[in-house]
Amino acid sequence: DVKVTQSSRYLVKRTGEKVFLECVQDMDHENMFWYRQDPGLGLRLIYFSYDVKMKEKGDIPEGYSVSREKKERFSLILESASTNQTSMYLCASRDPGFSYEQYFGPGTRLTVT
Amino acid sequence: GQQLNQSPQSMFIQEGEDVSMNCTSSSIFNTWLWYKQDPGEGPVLLIALYKAGELTSNGRLTAQFGITRKDSFLNISASIPSDVGIYFCAGFNAGNNRKLIWGLGTSLAVNP
């Protein structure tokens, strides 16, 4: 079974802090994704990476950056956290040569105070 | 970014009832995916559809790829309490298989 793990289920940070959200997948997938989920807005793509060190902006990249130094790990960075970044953050991975399915982690609920 | 039009937004039904939800797009899609998200968890794929007209079942769930390639439907028969959650449709535009387009979800509540 594919396993996507996220470093924290719940996180509370202060405004202005630099925040790192970590995601690890164990199936050697090439593609990885970061989404945020807010009530009534569905899943919105922040960034995705189709290979190591290759990344592409999604629909809402402002205020975020990403890092993918190793194939299995994709990090989302909030350079200076703000209260409007309080949200559920979901990481996903996919093997583009096998199927269109994205496998999701359990999510990190981030609260910025 | 583009989003799919998913309806209904929410449903509250009695256990044992059948459920229908659908997703429409203004452009042609070549793949449709249906996901379910349990409370506090990430979405999990239920059914994937790859051909226009395709009808696929997964237990009590049946999904169809619309013949126009601009819509898809999900039906749940004889609902049970564990069907509670948010159901999302998602798909790939023809010619772009890198970025999934998502619906806003249908929230399902089941009264035992």
Side-chain angles (χ1 to χ4, degrees):
Chain A
D1 270 357
V2 176
K3 198 166 174 75
V4 179
T5 56
Q6 295 183 229
S7 50
S8 306
R9 293 297 298 263
Y10 300 93
L11 209 53
V12 180
K13 295 291 181 181
R14 293 196 180 276
T15 301
E17 279 192 73
K18 190 168 186 175
V19 181
F20 292 86
L21 303 183
E22 307 284 342
C23 176
V24 177
Q25 50 96 1
D26 67 357
M27 282 300 291
D28 203 36
H29 285 175
E30 286 183 15
N31 300 168
M32 295 188 75
F33 307 82
W34 274 107
Y35 293 88
R36 66 176 280 176
Q37 183 177 18
D38 301 288
L41 297 179
L43 276 72
R44 293 182 292 166
L45 183 65
I46 305 171
Y47 267 96
F48 66 102
S49 166
Y50 44 91
D51 204 345
V52 177
K53 296 198 188 263
M54 300 178 84
K55 60 192 179 190
E56 194 164 320
K57 292 179 181 179
D59 298 318
I60 51 164
E62 296 78 18
Y64 303 94
S65 62
V66 289
S67 171
R68 193 165 179 207
E69 297 293 323
K70 293 185 177 181
K71 195 172 187 179
E72 67 270 18
R73 188 181 297 270
F74 191 35
S75 302
L76 180 70
I77 303 156
L78 286 66
E79 297 290 342
S80 177
S82 63
T83 54
N84 63 13
Q85 292 178 309
T86 291
S87 185
M88 168 72 89
Y89 289 88
L90 291 162
C91 174
S93 73
R94 174 191 160 210
D95 179 354
F98 183 69
S99 81
Y100 291 114
E101 178 176 1
Q102 291 185 11
Y103 295 86
F104 283 85
T108 296
R109 183 161 294 284
L110 172 68
T111 302
V112 183
T113 61
Chain B
Q2 182 186 358
Q3 277 178 332
L4 297 170
N5 186 14
Q6 186 172 349
S7 65
Q9 198 172 27
S10 61
M11 302 181 76
F12 187 85
I13 61 170
Q14 294 294 124
E15 183 176 359
E17 286 185 19
D18 296 344
V19 173
S20 290
M21 59 190 79
N22 70 81
C23 225
T24 59
S25 166
S26 57
S27 59
I28 289 173
F29 274 49
N30 59 15
T31 301
W32 287 96
L33 306 173
W34 284 94
Y35 281 84
K36 183 195 177 198
Q37 184 179 28
D38 289 328
E41 299 296 330
V44 174
L45 184 70
L46 298 173
I47 293 178
L49 302 160
Y50 301 107
K51 284 167 56 171
E54 181 180 354
L55 187 72
T56 297
S57 292
N58 178 4
R60 293 177 296 104
L61 279 61
T62 302
Q64 184 163 23
F65 193 139
I67 200 75
T68 65
R69 298 175 66 190
K70 292 184 177 183
D71 55 11
S72 180
F73 308 88
L74 176 70
N75 295 314
I76 305 172
S77 63
S79 59
I80 58 178
S82 63
D83 290 334
V84 164
I86 303 176
Y87 292 80
F88 290 99
C89 62
F92 288 103
N93 269 333
N96 180 359
N97 67 352
R98 285 217 316 225
K99 197 172 95 167
L100 263 181
I101 310 298
W102 291 85
L104 295 184
T106 295
S107 178
L108 178 65
V110 179
N111 191 28

